Amino acid sequence: MDKAKKSGDNGERVMMKTLPHSKDLQWPMLWWIGMEKLYRTLPWKKTAWTCAAFPIEIMWIYDIFPDHPENMATVAAARKQSLRMIEHAEGLGFSRDLCSYCKTNIGAYDTKIKKTIGGISKPDLVLCTNAICDTHWKWFQIMADKMDVPFFMLDIPKWVSGTDEKTLEGNIDYVAAQLNDLMVFIEKHTGKKMDENRMQKVLAKSMELTALWREIYEHRKAVPSPYSGAETSASFFPLVVLPGVQIGVNFFKKILADIKVLTAKGEGTMPQGKEKYRVMWEGIPFWYRMRFMYDLAQYGAVIAFEPYTFSFAPLKKKCATMQDTLRDVAKIIMDLPYAYNLERRIEHFEKWIDEYKLDGVILHENMSCRPSSAGMVDIKEAIMRDKGVPVLILQGDMNDPRTYSEEQMKTRVEAFIELMEANKK
Amino acid sequence: MKKLAYFDTAHEMPLEIVMAAGFTPYKILGDVHQSNDPADKYLSSFFCPAARSWLTEALAHSKEWAGIVFAQGCNNTNRHYDIWKLHVETPFLHWFGAPMLDGDAAKKYYRVELQRLISALEKKFAVKITPEKIKEAIGKSNALKKKLQSLSALRSQKDIPNSDYLAAIIKYLTEPADEVYAWLDSEIARWNSKPAFPSGKKRFLLTGSDVTYTGWMDTLDECGIRVVRDDLSVGERLFATLIPDRNDPLDALMEYYMGIPTPATRPTIQKRLDYLRKALRETKVDGVFSQNLKFCEPYAYDSVPVNNALKADGYQVIHLERDFSPAVDQQLTTRLMAFAEMMDGGK
């Protein structure tokens, strides 16, 4: 999709508007980078690597800087460094079929590239969970062993299709017990103690952050779409590493205000009258090829909703006791939209198709994320049967550009656009 | 006795509960000779080909089974469960959430899951799974494990084709315990009467993804490789340890299943390495063969640190990725033969 095929009537490239405060994402990012420097300078401060679905708040509660190999892998891809990192890891023997985030991280760590292009340094602890995939714990354990750093893993039971409430309660008990173990582990390796006042403050900020993001998503239901996946894919960054601190809250408030102004005027991210198709994108984006989402605009298509970015803002509640808090966190970890079982995925996707008035769905069959890619044929068939909207399964990879074929993507997308057009008639 | 089938990427399924319920546990292993087309309607080609073959088998044969139990194992077991729930016809489909850890929280959870499995079987099949029945099943299970230990030990002493060993393991995993018990007696006698270990073969430890079809083991034999030890779940992991004797049979099962040699699907890599090193101390080998079934992620991750550690210990290690196919891969064969020849040259 290097050239627009169905651009504006006069053949000009359709330019998507970004929100006035989108550029303010730099402040949370700079704050986070600055904090890492501070935490690495002061000897009593600690840092840890962690992964998606891990309760980041616990790290801020214990005053541990959360570094995030996946996040840094996306930076490396966006800065066109991921292929070099992946090839480095493959040179060490890691198979081409393994997760490209993992291999990017291995390459970035070994080659010591700069933070600004995806680099990452040795932490004091490695904390992870298998909530989303086993890759997380295999990868993190390999790196913890390599760096000789203490390792902790939260084992999250699987919420398979048809799981009953009683089983869920047993699963929550198991995870809550491990959260207690996690606190013991952190206290042992950092010498820090749980401060319940600090915990309440961090959790309150985290709730505020996720509530703002969820409100933003309520406004994304507006037609035309005020805020596309092209923007949310970057701006959800505070949800990844900053739940519990103020700076992300400030940024989301500005974004929400911008969106409210736009929707009040009946305007969207696409130029007036250009939004033809509202699309849901399921899966992780092509980080090395974010232009893909802007290219869709040339066909009048906007990514109006993505379960992936929504996943990072689970509904959180204030709990009266520590044990209730741990049980709430345990349930949240098991209940992320990105990790929904097949029945729940179909149920929620169909709900979102209605709520976001979607004309089509793109499912990224991500060769680096088999758990996410399983069941896509069933999802496609169910949505087409129940909702009558076209579904495109696009095979690719989130961080490995070798899987991306420009012409094949273009052909598939154009056929999908034609199906959406025919479906509107 | 009717078969109750199970989906298990390692050795997580508490077989003794199934036996105590009056069923023959039947491990779904797929059929390498059947096309995966039926499963490929639902899963892309970059998913584990063995798991796709299991789905193909279930789509064709599920009506012959009393039901199916999934034991949590590798990365995608839960995703496969969801797909099977939609497409495989069975009167009983149960998820057994084997925990991956082995601390106190995991032990408590393991008991909850054992009890949930027992309750589900009792309710569906109107049976009573008493502690006495479980103890009886444990007794049978241990007796079989002891026989398999005897059989396995003969691999490094006698001329036992690789495929004979795998055939015995597959029989153990798919046929009634009493029949297998009697058969193992005759098989041990047959193996004992075999000539001594052939001088032209190299002794290897086989590690990595499971092998579920004998054709691949024949290929190894043809390359001069004789597998005398392994750490596979369709292999030594099944009988490396015995189920302990405890007052409460659920405690015994918990202790056993949480303490078996660690597969790549469970932490930690060090524990897996510890078992490999123990096996290598016990049995002299010429080399280690690390194999990875295409798209088998857990072993692919492990292969780098594990193989590097074994090489650092001084072992000759070859790592290969293989397809799930009955066809002999000539390129792999050539590499294996070259490796075996290289070992000769080194002497």
Side-chain angles (χ1 to χ4, degrees), chain B residues 45-60:
Chain B
S45 57
F46 65 89
F47 282 86
C48 167
R52 285 187 281 130
S53 181
W54 303 347
L55 175 56
T56 295
E57 181 181 346
L59 289 167

Side-chain angles (χ1 to χ4, degrees), chain A residues 57 169 172 199-200 203-204 206-208 210-211 214 314-321 323-329 331-332:
Chain A
E57 293 87 343
E169 286 302 307
I172 290 170
M199 180 182 88
Q200 292 304 339
L203 292 180
S206 175
M207 273 187 272
E208 191 177 1
T210 52
R214 293 176 80 91
L315 200 56
K316 296 168 184 173
K317 64 181 183 191
K318 188 171 169 58
C319 301
T321 65
Q323 206 48 38
D324 287 348
T325 302
L326 296 183
R327 289 183 65 77
D328 188 51
V329 171
K331 185 168 184 194
I332 284 169

Side-chain angles (χ1 to χ4, degrees), chain B residues 40-274:
Chain B
D40 291 353
K41 281 198 291 184
Y42 310 114
L43 283 164
S44 277
S45 57
F46 65 89
F47 282 86
C48 167
R52 285 187 281 130
S53 181
W54 303 347
L55 175 56
T56 295
E57 181 181 346
L59 289 167
H61 297 284
S62 64
K63 287 175 187 166
E64 298 160 22
W65 308 328
I68 303 167
V69 180
F70 272 65
Q72 162 67 358
C74 87
N75 209 5
N76 289 304
T77 308
N78 56 313
R79 301 295 184 175
H80 289 299
Y81 175 93
D82 291 346
I83 291 168
W84 286 44
K85 187 168 184 285
L86 274 183
H87 301 292
V88 176
E89 284 186 55
T90 177
F92 179 77
L93 182 66
H94 183 85
W95 173 260
F96 177 71
M100 294 180 66
L101 302 175
D102 56 8
D104 289 344
K107 284 175 182 163
K108 194 174 170 189
Y109 181 67
Y110 193 89
R111 276 193 69 102
V112 169
E113 281 296 291
L114 273 182
Q115 199 56 62
R116 206 168 62 78
L117 172 63
I118 290 168
S119 300
L121 288 166
E122 286 182 335
K123 187 176 172 192
K124 178 67 190 176
F125 299 106
V127 293
K128 192 70 190 160
I129 303 173
T130 62
E132 290 70 31
K133 285 184 181 173
I134 300 172
K135 281 184 178 176
E136 188 188 338
I138 288 173
K140 279 187 184 177
S141 199
N142 274 341
L144 284 168
K145 288 177 194 301
K146 285 176 189 167
K147 293 224 176 289
L148 286 170
Q149 286 173 350
S150 302
L151 201 69
S152 171
L154 291 170
R155 288 186 291 172
S156 59
Q157 300 163 22
K158 299 287 186 177
D159 184 7
I160 313 295
N162 293 323
S163 56
D164 280 14
Y165 169 72
L166 182 60
I169 299 292
I170 290 174
K171 195 171 179 67
Y172 165 75
L173 288 169
T174 55
E175 296 189 13
D178 293 337
E179 288 175 27
V180 175
Y181 188 84
W183 179 82
L184 280 173
D185 274 337
S186 63
E187 197 66 357
I188 290 169
R190 187 176 75 83
W191 286 25
N192 265 314
S193 68
K194 290 261 190 176
F197 192 90
S199 58
K201 299 277 186 185
K202 295 272 182 281
R203 287 179 165 85
F204 267 76
L205 180 146
L206 178 61
T207 184
S209 314
D210 277 319
V211 184
T212 51
Y213 53 101
T214 53
W216 175 242
M217 299 302 264
D218 288 334
T219 301
L220 297 187
D221 248 327
E222 285 156 19
C223 296
I225 289 174
R226 188 53 68 76
V227 177
V228 296
R229 292 300 300 261
D230 66 82
D231 80 331
L232 306 186
S233 298
V234 183
E236 281 189 34
R237 190 166 290 119
L238 295 164
F239 54 83
T241 53
L242 298 179
I243 305 168
D245 186 17
R246 297 286 177 268
N247 285 335
D248 183 341
L250 297 192
D251 280 345
L253 292 180
M254 180 185 71
E255 201 173 319
Y256 170 74
Y257 281 100
M258 296 180 95
I260 56 175
T262 311
T265 49
R266 279 173 171 267
T268 63
I269 295 168
Q270 185 59 46
K271 284 184 190 167
R272 191 167 155 241
L273 197 50
D274 288 345

Side-chain angles (χ1 to χ4, degrees), chain A residues 212-228:
Chain A
L212 281 164
W213 191 248
R214 293 176 80 91
E215 193 177 347
I216 287 169
Y217 274 57
E218 282 301 305
H219 288 276
R220 291 187 74 192
K221 292 174 181 171
V223 180
S225 175
Y227 201 39
S228 81

Side-chain angles (χ1 to χ4, degrees), chain A residues 298-402:
Chain A
Q298 309 316 310
Y299 300 91
V302 61
I303 304 291
F305 179 72
E306 325 81 41
Y308 171 66
T309 51
F310 187 64
S311 255
F312 284 79
L315 200 56
K316 296 168 184 173
K317 64 181 183 191
K318 188 171 169 58
C319 301
T321 65
M322 171 68 91
Q323 206 48 38
D324 287 348
T325 302
L326 296 183
R327 289 183 65 77
D328 188 51
V329 171
K331 185 168 184 194
I332 284 169
I333 298 172
M334 290 191 291
D335 196 23
L336 299 175
Y338 189 70
Y340 278 168
N341 63 50
L342 185 53
E343 285 180 0
R344 297 184 79 215
R345 269 176 121 182
I346 291 170
E347 178 192 334
H348 281 80
F349 286 11
E350 292 186 350
K351 178 173 77 91
W352 288 324
I353 286 168
D354 291 338
E355 289 178 357
Y356 287 84
K357 305 166 195 73
L358 302 173
D359 301 299
V361 174
I362 298 177
L363 304 174
H364 178 194
E365 194 176 57
N366 186 347
M367 296 173 78
S368 270
C369 189
R370 289 180 178 84
S372 160
S373 301
M376 282 190 164
V377 173
D378 290 302
I379 294 169
K380 177 178 177 171
E381 286 180 0
I383 289 174
M384 290 173 67
R385 179 191 64 228
D386 301 339
K387 293 293 159 191
V389 300
V391 179
L392 170 66
I393 297 179
L394 268 186
Q395 195 174 87
D397 190 283
M398 59 208 180
N399 245 42
D400 188 343
R402 292 173 298 189

